[in-house]
């Protein structure tokens, strides 16, 4: 996709729309492989703020989280979440993603101590139980990406009392997934596996995309920080 570098805003929107419309995970990861070199500039053009807001959510939910905290960025992509975490002084960062192309981009700036190829929903996270003080997953909980049944795996690698921070989209194409996700979160909370601390809805001015992109602008994203109750 590098030949499309510097594409116009309509082209960038079309590319994001294409990504959202791919239902098959293998095809989606292949799409991310090709998108990887242009991903950062494309999502910047679309005012993508989910990494910034998720890290805000995390730090507000646990203001005392030490800078030495070990943090896992699941579906880390090119490393936008790591850049936000680094900017706030967190430096013990691990990342996993199912796209080798995205991981290659994430590796270049050296923001992560460890990066691993891992496809959530198909294989376990490459870490023992209770490893991380906090686990984030940003921009990957939606149809055709990380399935809801991977949520317990996020909890497994989080320390007791640690934090899990999630985002999902609430635009109409993702409503079914979002409902399934919320049902999964509720079931796990009722089972005592974790406790919801905060849920934030983006105000309209913080939407991911300019308002002229109706289907995607019509709904904000949701961030949830949850404490692992094990
Ligand atoms: C929209 S990007 C978000 C990347 C980054 N978290 C961000 O906010 O910029 C979605 C990422 O999720 C990854 N992904 C999607 N489904 C996945 C899965 N089942 N397992 C691992 N990674 C997945 C893709 O490769 C891609 O890098």
């Amino acid at each position: 996709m590098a030949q499309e570098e510097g594409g116009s805003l309509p082209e960038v929107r079309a590319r994001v729309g294409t990504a959202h419309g791919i239902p098959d995970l293998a095809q989606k990861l292949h799409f991310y492989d090709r998108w990887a070199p242009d991903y950062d500039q494309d999502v910047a053009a679309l005012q993508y703020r989910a990494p910034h807001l998720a890290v805000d959510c995390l730090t507000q939910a646990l203001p005392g989280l030490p800078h030495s905290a070990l943090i896992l960025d699941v579906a880390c992509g090119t490393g936008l979440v790591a850049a936000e975490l680094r900017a706030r002084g967190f430096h013990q960062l691990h990342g996993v993603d199912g796209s080798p192309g995205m991981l290659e981009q994430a590796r270049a700036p050296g923001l992560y101590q460890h990066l691993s190829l891992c496809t959530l929903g198909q294989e376990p996270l490459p870490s023992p139980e209770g490893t991380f003080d906090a686990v984030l997953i940003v921009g990957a909980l939606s149809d055709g990406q990380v399935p809801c049944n991977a949520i317990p795996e996020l909890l497994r690698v989080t320390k007791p009392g640690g934090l899990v921070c999630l985002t999902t989209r609430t635009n109409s194409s993702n409503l079914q997934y979002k409902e399934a996700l919320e049902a999964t979160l509720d079931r796990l909370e009722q089972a005592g596996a974790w406790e919801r601390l905060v849920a934030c809805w983006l105000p309209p001015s913080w939407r991911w995309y300019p308002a002229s992109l109706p289907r995607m602008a019509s709904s904000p994203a949701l961030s949830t920080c949850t404490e692992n109750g094990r």
Side-chain angles (χ1 to χ4, degrees):
M1 214 167 278
Q3 74 278 5
E4 290 172 302
E5 190 176 325
S8 66
L9 199 54
E11 285 170 339
V12 172
R13 289 173 183 165
R15 192 176 300 170
V16 174
T18 302
H20 288 172
I22 299 171
D24 177 74
L25 176 57
Q27 283 178 20
K28 180 101 86 184
L29 294 175
H30 186 54
F31 183 90
Y32 277 115
D33 275 339
R34 289 181 292 128
W35 191 10
D38 297 333
Y39 176 86
D40 285 4
Q41 67 179 31
D42 282 1
V43 299
L46 296 172
Q47 302 170 16
Y48 176 58
R49 286 175 48 87
H52 180 85
L53 295 167
V55 173
D56 261 0
C57 179
L58 179 76
T59 51
Q60 280 165 26
L62 195 57
L65 191 63
H67 285 156
S68 58
L70 185 59
I71 300 179
L72 177 66
D73 180 10
V74 178
C76 62
T78 57
L80 296 180
V81 172
E84 291 288 341
L85 288 165
R86 283 280 190 150
R88 293 167 207 229
F90 299 102
H91 50 88
Q92 301 274 17
L93 311 179
H94 293 199
V96 299
D97 199 279
S99 155
M102 294 296 260
L103 283 175
E104 195 183 321
Q105 298 298 315
R107 195 163 285 119
L111 298 177
Y112 297 92
Q113 271 81 50
H114 290 286
L115 282 167
S116 313
L117 185 65
C118 173
T119 301
L120 269 289
Q122 295 183 0
E123 52 190 335
L125 286 167
S127 305
E129 191 172 329
T131 301
F132 297 99
D133 295 291
V135 174
L136 293 96
I137 179 164
V138 178
L141 287 171
S142 62
D143 246 349
Q145 299 203 90
V146 174
C148 297
N149 64 16
I151 298 292
E153 187 56 10
L154 307 185
L155 276 180
R156 182 187 68 78
V157 300
T158 307
K159 287 179 182 170
L163 285 170
V164 178
C165 185
L166 322 166
T167 75
T168 194
R169 292 184 288 113
T170 58
N171 54 300
S172 55
S173 67
N174 198 50
L175 280 187
Q176 209 175 340
Y177 179 96
K178 179 177 158 288
E179 276 172 24
L181 176 63
E182 284 174 350
T184 302
L185 295 176
D186 287 347
R187 266 197 308 277
L188 286 164
E189 190 168 17
Q190 280 156 20
W194 61 0
E195 178 190 356
R196 186 175 304 225
L197 295 183
V198 62
C200 328
W201 298 84
L202 305 193
S205 58
W206 286 0
R207 286 172 180 168
W208 287 23
Y209 304 105
S212 51
L213 184 64
R215 285 188 63 222
M216 295 174 189
S218 60
S219 311
L222 166 71
S223 298
T224 304
C225 282
T226 307
E227 191 167 11
N228 184 342
R230 284 182 297 120

